[in-house]
């Protein structure tokens, strides 16, 4: 028998649901990955958060937080909600760093986008559909279930990047 959906790991991250209804399981994995991203950024100063992984890449932990704020906005507000909302940051990818924006502001924006996404999805069935707003599959219909699965994939991939960034910065591994 696995942990309850409300169980947490010693580092404070929620344990994703291992059994139960589909919707709580779909919501528990993004919650785990969001907490993982925050953990990867914890305890670092601004210079460290802006440290790129390895040339020629300019990928940074701060850029990942900003990018994932854009991801949350795009998939939940634009695709599921059908809202015409502009990018959160000047660069719609979110990767470009502004010298005046630190982790606190980026995390606040990211958390706000998560809350807005939850509000839009509240009460929706996993079979509810939206339309991809842009890119090669623009106009394609996708289910909320697909969006959750894609979000899980997106966070898992970027948390892998965050693992490498954090290890390069200060040697911390795991999580």
């Amino acid at each position: 028998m696995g942990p309850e959906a409300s169980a947490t790991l010693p580092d404070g991250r929620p344990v994703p649901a291992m059994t139960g209804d589909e919707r709580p399981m779909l919501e528990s994995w993004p919650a785990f990955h969001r907490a993982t991203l925050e953990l990867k950024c914890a305890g670092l100063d601004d210079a460290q958060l802006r440290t790129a992984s390895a040339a020629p890449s300019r990928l940074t932990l701060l850029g990942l937080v900003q990018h994932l704020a854009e991801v949350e906005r795009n998939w939940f507000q634009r695709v599921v909600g059908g809202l015409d909302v502009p990018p959160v940051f000047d660069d719609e990818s979110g990767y470009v760093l502004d010298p005046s924006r630190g982790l606190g502001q980026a995390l606040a924006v990211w958390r706000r986008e998560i809350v807005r996404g939850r509000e839009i999805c509240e009460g929706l069935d996993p079979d509810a559909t939206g339309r991809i707003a842009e890119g090669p599959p623009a106009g394609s219909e996708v289910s909320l279930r697909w969006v959750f699965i894609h979000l899980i994939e997106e966070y898992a991939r970027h948390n892998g990047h965050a693992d490498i960034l954090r290890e390069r910065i200060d040697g911390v591994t795991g999580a």
Side-chain angles (χ1 to χ4, degrees):
M1 184 170 179
E4 298 297 318
S6 62
T8 58
L9 295 171
D11 59 24
R13 292 178 297 156
V15 175
M18 295 181 187
T19 60
D21 293 336
E22 179 184 28
R23 181 64 182 264
M25 290 184 80
L26 288 171
E27 291 174 340
S28 72
W29 276 100
F32 168 79
H33 282 296
R34 289 170 182 138
T36 299
L37 180 64
E38 281 198 77
L39 186 62
K40 288 295 175 185
C41 296
L44 298 176
D45 63 31
D46 192 63
Q48 291 171 313
L49 291 161
R50 294 171 185 275
T51 300
S53 56
S57 175
R58 297 182 306 175
L59 188 64
T60 66
L61 285 169
L62 181 56
L64 283 174
V65 172
Q66 293 176 172
H67 171 69
L68 288 162
E70 295 291 359
V71 165
E72 295 275 355
R73 174 172 275 214
N74 180 63
W75 289 105
F76 291 118
Q77 293 183 54
R78 297 183 77 209
V79 174
V80 175
L83 302 174
D84 183 16
V85 292
V88 183
F89 302 108
D90 296 335
D91 168 62
E92 63 187 48
S93 74
Y95 289 121
V96 176
L97 303 181
D98 178 332
S100 67
R101 183 175 38 251
L103 182 63
Q105 183 182 358
L107 285 174
V109 169
W110 174 67
R111 288 179 186 127
R112 181 188 72 210
E113 298 309 314
I114 292 167
V115 169
R116 286 181 178 164
R118 285 182 182 144
E119 291 169 353
I120 286 169
C121 295
E122 189 174 332
L124 291 180
D125 186 272
D127 289 324
T129 60
R131 294 216 176 263
I132 294 179
E134 57 191 34
S140 297
E141 187 175 63
V142 293
S143 69
L144 177 59
R145 177 183 298 102
W146 187 95
V147 170
F148 274 120
I149 292 168
H150 176 69
L151 192 75
I152 293 163
E153 175 270 331
E154 181 98 8
Y155 269 94
R157 180 166 36 103
H158 289 313
N159 278 336
H161 297 138
D163 285 339
I164 293 166
L165 285 160
R166 184 65 192 245
E167 185 174 9
R168 182 175 191 284
I169 292 165
D170 65 1
V172 171
T173 59

